[in-house]
């Protein structure tokens, strides 16, 4: 049986501790957002939507900070999965290494544990929601905007997240887009999901194979 090595088993406490540290950091960011002064932002803009003081303060300022925090948390989740997989590579020489698996992101880790240990992390309760968060993370990383086109492949994932508000508007080319508003709950929801996911994941790892 592939009993989990001791040095891997102890990693759960460190993972959860770092997630708690993210939660503390998130509270600081939200405190900063709540205490920010609208007068600090330019209010002499010409465009009534993009350059006004109110838009910068209520939409752009919190979105930038919350988006950065969200991306950091998800990147940590991905990193932890890769770290655990790499520890198994070192412990069991017959395992297919991560670098030889074609999938990307958290799917690479899912394939690693399925092929090498018959562990299906894709069947964990948090997995599908984690995939939605991955789609949103990927969009944020590659699109520096406060909007998403209605025909974008990630729209469905955005719509399934209650902590993101979408407002639809029409474009001149007869298509439509959604403006994106990230609420203060988004990062908290991801942190809660990450806690549940790693607890369930480690239970799978500790079962005899």
């Amino acid at each position: 049986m592939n009993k989990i090595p001791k040095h891997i088993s102890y990693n759960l406490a460190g993972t959860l501790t770092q997630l708690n540290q993210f939660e503390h950091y998130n509270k600081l960011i939200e405190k900063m957002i709540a205490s920010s002064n609208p007068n600090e932002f330019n209010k002499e803009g010409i465009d009534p939507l993009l350059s006004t003081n109110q838009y910068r303060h209520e939409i752009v300022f919190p979105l930038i900070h919350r988006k950065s925090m969200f991306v950091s948390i998800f990147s940590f989740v991905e990193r932890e999965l890769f770290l655990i997989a790499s520890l198994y590579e070192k412990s069991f020489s017959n395992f297919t290494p991560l670098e030889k698996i074609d999938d990307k992101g958290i799917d690479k880790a899912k394939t690693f544990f399925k092929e090498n240990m018959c562990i299906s992390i894709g069947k964990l309760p948090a997995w599908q929601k984690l995939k939605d968060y991955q789609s949103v993370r990927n969009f944020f990383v590659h699109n520096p905007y406060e909007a998403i086109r209605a025909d974008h492949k990630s729209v469905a994932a955005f719509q399934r997240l209650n902590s993101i508000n979408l407002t639809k508007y029409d474009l001149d080319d007869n298509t439509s887009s959604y403006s994106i508003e990230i609420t203060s709950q988004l990062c908290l929801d991801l942190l809660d999901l990450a806690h549940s996911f790693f607890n369930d994941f480690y239970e799978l790892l500790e079962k005899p194979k």
Side-chain angles (χ1 to χ4, degrees):
M1 67 180 65
N2 291 337
K3 182 62 178 176
I4 184 169
K6 188 175 182 181
H7 63 283
I8 300 178
S9 181
Y10 284 168
N11 195 47
L12 176 60
T15 300
L16 300 183
T17 296
Q18 290 184 67
L19 288 173
N20 290 335
Q21 291 174 340
F22 272 112
E23 185 172 356
H24 174 70
Y25 184 36
N26 186 64
K27 288 180 180 178
L28 295 178
I29 289 177
E30 289 300 326
K31 183 178 180 181
M32 182 267 296
I33 291 173
S35 63
S36 63
N37 183 356
N39 293 325
E40 295 174 358
F41 298 84
N42 174 31
K43 61 181 179 180
E44 300 300 331
I46 298 175
D47 187 289
L49 174 62
L50 297 180
S51 300
T52 62
N53 182 32
Q54 182 179 9
Y55 182 79
R56 287 176 181 270
H57 179 252
E58 295 181 0
I59 303 297
V60 178
F61 183 66
L63 185 143
I64 289 173
H65 288 284
R66 289 168 181 162
K67 182 164 62 173
S68 297
M69 186 64 177
F70 174 83
V71 170
S72 296
I73 297 170
F74 193 91
S75 296
F76 170 77
V77 171
E78 193 172 68
R79 171 201 171 275
E80 285 297 287
L81 286 173
F82 290 160
L83 173 63
I84 298 166
S86 67
L87 290 173
Y88 267 99
E89 283 186 30
K90 297 174 182 177
S91 299
F92 301 101
S93 59
N94 61 322
F95 279 9
T96 301
L98 274 171
E99 66 180 17
K100 292 187 177 181
I101 295 175
D102 292 333
D103 294 322
K104 297 180 180 180
I106 59 176
D107 290 299
K108 180 185 285 286
K110 182 185 76 169
T111 300
F112 175 90
F113 289 106
K114 180 65 175 178
E115 290 187 356
N116 291 316
M117 302 175 63
C118 295
I119 289 178
S120 299
I121 63 176
K123 294 182 179 180
L124 292 176
W127 180 259
Q128 288 306 317
K129 194 64 172 289
L130 199 60
K131 288 292 292 179
D132 283 342
Y133 285 127
Q134 182 185 39
S135 295
V136 172
R137 188 281 302 266
N138 291 344
F139 178 85
F140 285 159
V141 168
H142 298 291
N143 297 274
Y145 310 112
E146 294 85 52
I148 181 172
R149 292 185 65 91
D151 58 357
H152 194 280
K153 63 181 180 180
S154 298
V155 163
F158 273 84
Q159 292 173 329
R160 286 191 289 265
L161 300 181
N162 295 328
S163 48
I164 294 180
N165 296 328
L166 299 178
T167 303
K168 192 174 184 178
Y169 61 92
D170 295 327
L171 301 172
D172 293 338
D173 60 357
N174 294 321
T175 62
S176 58
S177 289
Y178 293 92
S179 63
I180 300 170
E181 180 186 359
I182 301 176
T183 72
S184 60
Q185 192 62 36
L186 178 64
C187 292
L188 294 177
D189 287 349
L190 175 55
L191 285 167
D192 286 344
L193 189 78
H195 271 92
S196 298
F197 173 77
F198 279 110
N199 274 297
D200 292 342
F201 177 43
Y202 273 86
E203 285 186 13
L204 289 180
L205 287 175
E206 292 176 345
K207 290 181 180 178
K209 307 299 183 293

